[in-house]
Amino acid sequence: RAGDPALLARPEPHAVRGPVFFAGEACAPPESAQCVHGALRTGRDAADEVLRQWAEGEAARVFLSEEDATRAA
């Protein structure tokens, strides 16, 4: 559905490097959309999920940039 923040915020699977997580005000629920606190909330949620997956061994690597990921491949 176009404009659905929950759909926008879902991790995108990546065949080689694992999921790509999205965050920001556009991913926030309607009551927080286009606000700094919405961006902060979704950023924290995405970071929590990355850390959870890393702690459980689901995410083998975390890259801070595409350059880092390319070097590691």
Side-chain angles (χ1 to χ4, degrees):
R1 297 179 316 228
D4 183 352
L7 181 64
L8 197 64
R10 279 197 319 212
E12 181 66 26
H14 191 286
V16 177
R17 299 185 186 112
V20 175
F21 294 87
F22 295 94
E25 52 85 19
C27 299
E31 67 274 4
S32 302
Q34 298 184 2
C35 295
V36 171
H37 65 276
L40 181 61
R41 176 181 168 185
T42 60
R44 285 184 178 162
D45 291 347
D48 287 345
E49 182 61 18
V50 168
L51 291 173
R52 183 196 67 76
Q53 287 190 16
W54 181 71
E56 294 179 5
E58 295 176 29
R61 300 177 182 173
V62 175
F63 300 106
L64 300 179
S65 70
E66 185 63 28
E67 184 178 300
D68 291 343
T70 302
R71 268 188 291 202

